[in-house]
């Protein structure tokens, strides 16, 4: 993939001046590379920029940063309002998350925001390169172990708590409109991303489960859901039964969580979250169910889910207590929210798990636009649902869901 011509020295100079608060900058050398691997990113192009510069004192410095670029995404054909999700992420990184950091006495949630290009024909965000700070992703096919989950859910608990306390709409109530939709939301004119790209997933799941020994009863229940499947999806994301609401990340899975490690022990010590373009207000159970059913190692999901939910809640409640919040939802309230969103957890497994566990050789074409082509979508869906890792994980999730009787609900 070639670097677009608009990422020129003039643009990079502006980013450095604005993002690093430097008046006089001269760029001595430039290197730009693609920052993600196939299958790691679906809704943008990420560039890593390396510069050698001189400042006003003629001191030479080496700097690096990330450019997240949605400028050419609309040409791909997806019915996505890229401008809306771009503006949402800018607002999160520039305004809301720094406010959350102050509220939580210094908890860092994300990369530092540097700059966004103001021109209407461009959608670019410049931000801190977490790799430079020794943060890195876990291989999505490995899943997260207990310690990685503990850190992730602690950070999520602080994030949700800060959103309950903060008056995000104090200055501009109309700005909250951008937080009314997320990854699963859509209309007749603009169907949700999952419906455009992953429309075959549930049908394919029904096909493969038919061939799994011991899953005959579950297979029959899934078959009965087929005719009402998209109605079930809409019901699962409905806010009408929310007991309390927080600002959800909206896409909280293994690829959007980066970890820093102790150099001596190799153990994870901190986590930062990326990709804030799908944030929306709803019950915290959406983020939690999405995470539990897309990103955990099987042993952790099967044996430590209750412990991890308590870890999340303790971080959430302690943050609200520190913020002197009067009404703090109880752990029982959270359990009730999780119960109401069990179906959403299953749907997260249907749509996200096949992507997370896709074999490396089949992820070379796995951007959202690739799923728009019918032939490519058929091929990719076949690959996603044929892997051994996927089968092993989905079998465990289906059994858990059946034990919870979520397939027995009448719609």
């Amino acid at each position: 993939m070639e670097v677009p011509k608009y990422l020129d020295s003039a643009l990079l100079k502006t980013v450095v001046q604005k993002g690093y608060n430097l008046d006089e900058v001269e760029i001595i050398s430039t290197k730009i590379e693609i920052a993600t691997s196939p299958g790691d990113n679906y809704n943008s192009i990420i560039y890593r920029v390396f510069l050698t510069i001189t400042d006003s004192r003629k001191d030479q410095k080496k700097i690096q940063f990330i450019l997240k670029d949605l400028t050419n995404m609309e040409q791909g054909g997806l019915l996505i309002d890229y401008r809306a999700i771009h503006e949402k992420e800018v607002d999160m990184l520039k305004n809301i998350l720094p406010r959350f950091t102050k509220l939580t006495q210094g908890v860092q949630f994300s990369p530092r925001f540097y700059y966004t290009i103001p021109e209407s024909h461009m959608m670019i965000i410049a931000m801190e390169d977490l790799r430079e700070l020794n943060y890195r992703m876990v291989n999505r096919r490995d899943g997260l172990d207990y310690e990685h989950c503990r850190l992730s859910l602690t950070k999520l608990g602080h994030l949700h708590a800060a959103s309950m306390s903060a008056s995000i709409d104090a200055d501009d109530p109309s700005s909250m409109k951008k937080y009314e939709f997320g990854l699963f939301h859509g209309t007749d004119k603009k169907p949700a991303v999952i419906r455009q790209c992953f429309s075959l997933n549930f049908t394919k799941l029904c096909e493969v489960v038919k061939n799994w020994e011991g899953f005959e009863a579950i297979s029959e229940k899934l078959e009965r859901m087929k005719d009402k499947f998209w109605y079930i999806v809409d019901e699962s994301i409905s806010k009408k039964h929310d007991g309390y609401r927080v600002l959800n990340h909206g896409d909280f899975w293994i690829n959007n969580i980066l970890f820093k490690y102790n150099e001596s022990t190799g153990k994870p010590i901190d986590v930062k979250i990326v990709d804030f373009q799908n944030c929306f207000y709803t019950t915290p159970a959406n983020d939690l169910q999405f995470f539990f059913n897309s990103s955990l190692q099987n042993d952790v999901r099967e044996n430590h889910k209750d412990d991890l939910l308590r870890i999340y809640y303790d971080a959430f409640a302690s943050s609200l207590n520190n913020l002197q919040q009067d009404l703090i939802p109880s752990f029982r309230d959270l359990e009730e929210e999780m119960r109401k969103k069990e179906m959403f957890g299953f749907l997260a497994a249907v749509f996200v798990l096949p992507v997370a566990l896709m074999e490396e050789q089949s992820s070379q074409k796995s951007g959202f636009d690739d799923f728009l082509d019918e032939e490519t979508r058929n091929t990719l869906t076949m690959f996603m649902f044929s892997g051994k890792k996927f089968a092993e994980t989905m079998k465990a999730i289906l059994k858990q869901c059946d034990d919870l009787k979520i397939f027995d609900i009448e719609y």
Side-chain angles (χ1 to χ4, degrees):
M1 181 183 295
E2 294 185 2
V3 175
K5 292 181 179 180
Y6 54 77
L7 297 183
D8 57 19
S9 57
L11 183 147
L12 298 176
K13 183 176 180 178
T14 301
V15 169
V16 174
Q17 287 176 318
K18 299 292 186 179
Y20 292 81
N21 296 316
L22 298 174
D23 294 327
E24 297 180 27
V25 173
E26 182 180 353
I27 298 177
I28 307 301
S29 66
T30 303
K31 178 184 177 183
I32 303 177
E33 61 185 28
I34 303 296
T36 53
S37 301
D40 286 343
N41 201 67
Y42 298 90
N43 215 17
S44 61
I45 301 174
I46 309 294
Y47 300 100
R48 176 168 284 113
V49 180
F50 302 88
L51 299 178
T52 301
I53 67 167
T54 58
D55 58 19
S56 59
R57 296 183 298 181
K58 302 303 179 183
D59 292 335
Q60 193 170 108
K61 301 178 180 178
K62 292 185 180 295
I63 61 175
Q64 68 186 74
F65 52 86
I66 290 293
L67 292 178
K68 182 172 185 177
D69 186 9
L70 280 74
T71 301
N72 294 319
M73 299 303 291
E74 288 180 310
Q75 299 175 10
L78 270 174
L79 297 176
I80 295 176
D81 190 342
Y82 282 100
R83 175 62 56 181
I85 62 175
H86 168 73
E87 291 178 353
K88 181 191 291 187
E89 186 159 32
V90 170
D91 190 34
M92 286 295 300
L93 292 172
K94 182 180 180 181
N95 302 314
I96 293 177
L97 291 169
R99 193 181 308 178
F100 287 1
T101 293
K102 290 180 180 179
L103 284 170
T104 53
Q105 300 178 325
V107 176
Q108 298 291 327
F109 296 100
S110 67
R112 177 187 168 194
F113 171 84
Y114 286 152
Y115 187 63
T116 185
I117 312 302
E119 285 81 0
S120 60
H121 65 283
M122 302 182 79
M123 291 180 281
I124 297 174
I125 303 175
M127 67 187 82
E128 185 176 43
D129 185 358
L130 292 178
R131 191 174 78 170
E132 188 179 19
L133 303 177
N134 296 318
Y135 286 82
R136 62 180 187 268
M137 295 167 57
V138 173
N139 187 305
R140 57 184 167 78
R141 299 190 68 248
D142 292 340
L144 298 177
D145 63 18
Y146 181 86
E147 190 61 19
H148 285 83
C149 290
R150 183 187 68 81
L151 286 171
S152 301
L153 291 169
T154 298
K155 188 67 61 91
L156 185 67
H158 293 313
L159 178 70
H160 285 175
S163 76
M164 282 195 74
S165 177
S167 298
I168 296 174
D169 62 343
D171 298 326
D172 181 14
S174 66
S175 68
M176 293 309 297
K177 289 182 180 180
K178 66 171 68 79
Y179 297 103
E180 294 176 355
F181 68 92
L183 186 64
F184 279 69
H185 295 90
T187 64
D188 290 339
K189 291 185 178 180
K190 289 188 176 182
V193 173
I194 57 166
R195 191 159 188 169
Q196 292 185 63
C197 298
F198 305 120
S199 58
L200 302 178
N201 279 34
F202 185 70
T203 301
K204 189 63 179 178
L205 177 66
C206 291
E207 288 179 15
V208 299
V209 173
K210 280 183 179 179
N211 298 318
W212 289 347
E213 186 177 351
F215 283 78
E216 292 79 9
I218 291 177
S219 176
E220 291 178 7
K221 293 176 183 180
L222 295 179
E223 287 290 332
R224 288 198 295 268
M225 291 171 58
K226 270 186 177 179
D227 291 340
K228 298 182 178 179
F229 179 70
W230 292 107
Y231 171 79
I232 293 171
V233 172
D234 290 340
E235 281 293 297
S236 76
I237 62 171
S238 171
K239 301 179 183 182
K240 60 188 176 184
H241 299 301
D242 291 355
Y244 63 98
R245 292 175 184 166
V246 300
L247 185 62
N248 278 239
H249 177 271
D251 195 11
F252 194 66
W253 73 301
I254 189 169
N255 268 21
N256 288 331
I257 308 167
L258 279 73
F259 299 89
K260 188 172 185 176
Y261 296 85
N262 182 294
E263 293 182 5
S264 300
T265 65
K267 293 182 179 180
I269 56 175
D270 190 33
V271 57
K272 288 190 179 180
I273 308 167
V274 297
D275 200 356
F276 286 88
Q277 61 191 22
N278 291 299
C279 299
F280 71 104
Y281 270 97
T282 189
T283 169
N286 271 47
D287 267 352
L288 291 163
Q289 293 285 11
F290 197 91
F291 178 72
F292 284 141
N293 289 281
S294 67
S295 305
L296 277 60
Q297 294 178 358
N298 286 343
D299 173 71
V300 177
R301 183 186 301 105
E302 292 172 14
N303 299 311
H304 300 287
K305 188 175 176 180
D306 291 343
D307 295 342
L308 291 171
L309 191 63
R310 174 62 74 173
I311 286 168
Y312 159 84
Y313 177 78
D314 287 347
F316 172 76
S318 64
S319 281
L320 287 177
N321 187 58
N322 291 337
L323 291 164
Q324 299 181 330
Q325 194 81 359
D326 292 332
L327 297 176
I328 300 178
S330 68
F331 185 69
R332 182 171 294 182
D333 292 331
L334 175 61
E335 289 181 310
E336 175 62 14
E337 295 302 297
M338 292 295 286
R339 184 193 64 77
K340 290 185 291 188
K341 290 294 180 176
E342 292 290 357
M343 177 58 79
F344 181 79
F346 166 68
L347 295 173
V350 172
F351 293 118
V352 184
L353 198 63
V355 175
L357 300 180
M358 192 190 308
E359 301 288 344
E360 298 295 338
Q361 65 268 24
S362 60
S363 65
Q364 299 303 305
K365 276 193 171 185
S366 56
F368 281 146
D369 289 338
D370 295 309
F371 282 96
L372 293 180
D373 177 77
E374 184 176 358
E375 183 178 349
T376 304
R377 183 168 65 248
N378 287 334
T379 301
L380 284 171
T381 303
M382 181 186 70
F383 273 125
M384 290 192 300
F385 283 81
S386 61
K388 290 179 63 176
K389 186 86 170 180
F390 168 77
E392 176 188 346
T393 304
M394 183 55 84
K395 285 178 180 180
I397 289 176
L398 286 173
K399 287 180 179 179
Q400 288 182 348
C401 290
D402 195 41
D403 289 344
L404 292 167
K405 300 188 181 303
I406 71 167
F407 301 140
D408 299 327
I409 298 173
E410 294 293 331
Y411 286 91

